[in-house]
Amino acid sequence: MRKVIVLPVTATMIAVLGAPATAGPPGPEQLRDKLLTAAELPAGFTAGENTDDTRNFEYYIPCTEGEVVTEYTPVPTVVQSVGTGRSRAIRAELGRPGSQAAHEFVQGFADMPIVCPDWSDAMAEDEHHHSRLPLPALGDASAAMITVIDGATTQEGERVPPERMLTAAVAVGDLVVHFEMHEITEADDADFVEFVTAGSKKLTQAE
């Protein structure tokens, strides 16, 4: 039986989250104009591939292997990839799951470094270390974190070097965008925050 965790909901949270969206989510073609164009990218960034996808935007409970508070239906998503001046790639996934799902998704990124700064993944046999990545105030809610994955080994038993990754989520109305950047060093943090900030500001203007 799947464990279900019920979180307390205050009147303030209800006012912020609102009721789940009743209208059907837009298709990818209605979301693409909310992404940064090549001309709108910050200096030093290069446009990559934009694709269509479908995904859930759910709050994953910290320190568990994929447990969620509320299950949401997958929604159409547009995926943007951009390159940075350090030849790294940032991936952004934008969807419209409704305001409640959007805010819960962001809350997961805010909670993880506090509730679960260190976690052992029994299946992967590695250690995950989470810490906050400071962001300016973006959208209606925003959060970002640094994850360092350590202790993994190959099938031959060789130790894999620690992997550092950055993730962020920003909710704007009933939209949410998830940003991700892998295999980076601390020198990449500023590029990541700059792109997250620019992409989030366009969402705010579009709404």
Side-chain angles (χ1 to χ4, degrees):
M1 179 180 292
R2 195 169 71 86
K3 181 180 178 182
V4 177
I5 295 180
V6 179
L7 299 182
V9 178
T10 66
T12 301
M13 289 177 65
I14 293 174
V16 171
L17 299 180
T22 55
E29 65 281 355
Q30 296 173 279
L31 296 170
R32 289 192 196 100
D33 63 352
K34 300 180 185 301
L35 298 174
L36 291 172
T37 65
E40 294 170 330
L41 290 174
F45 288 75
T46 55
E49 184 181 18
N50 290 350
T51 58
D52 300 339
D53 202 354
T54 302
R55 68 161 292 175
N56 286 324
F57 290 95
E58 298 176 323
Y59 174 100
Y60 287 92
I61 302 168
C63 304
T64 67
E65 295 182 1
E67 291 185 64
V68 299
V69 174
T70 307
E71 292 185 358
Y72 290 100
T73 302
V75 295
T77 308
V78 289
V79 182
Q80 180 178 41
S81 178
V82 301
T84 73
R86 293 176 51 80
S87 301
R88 301 286 197 259
I90 302 176
R91 175 185 172 95
E93 297 176 294
L94 171 65
R96 192 187 293 271
S99 61
Q100 180 168 318
H103 282 78
E104 284 183 357
F105 186 75
V106 173
Q107 191 62 47
F109 289 87
D111 288 348
M112 184 69 79
I114 299 171
V115 179
C116 194
D118 301 293
W119 179 62
S120 298
D121 187 333
M123 183 175 295
E125 298 183 344
D126 53 26
E127 302 283 335
H128 294 232
H129 308 285
H130 306 288
S131 58
R132 289 182 62 253
L133 176 67
L135 283 181
L138 299 172
D140 300 323
S142 60
M145 67 179 181
I146 303 164
T147 300
V148 177
I149 303 174
D150 193 13
T153 58
T154 65
Q155 292 183 344
E156 292 75 25
E158 298 179 353
R159 189 178 180 85
V160 177
E163 178 187 356
R164 189 173 187 273
M165 61 181 288
L166 304 176
T167 48
V170 179
V172 178
D174 56 2
L175 293 166
V176 67
V177 58
H178 173 212
F179 300 90
E180 199 167 71
M181 191 178 190
H182 288 264
E183 298 180 0
I184 45 83
T185 68
E186 291 183 13
D188 297 293
D189 291 7
D191 283 344
F192 183 76
V193 171
E194 184 177 11
F195 179 71
V196 170
T197 300
S200 301
K201 286 183 177 179
K202 178 165 184 179
L203 281 186
T204 303
Q205 295 164 359
E207 290 297 288

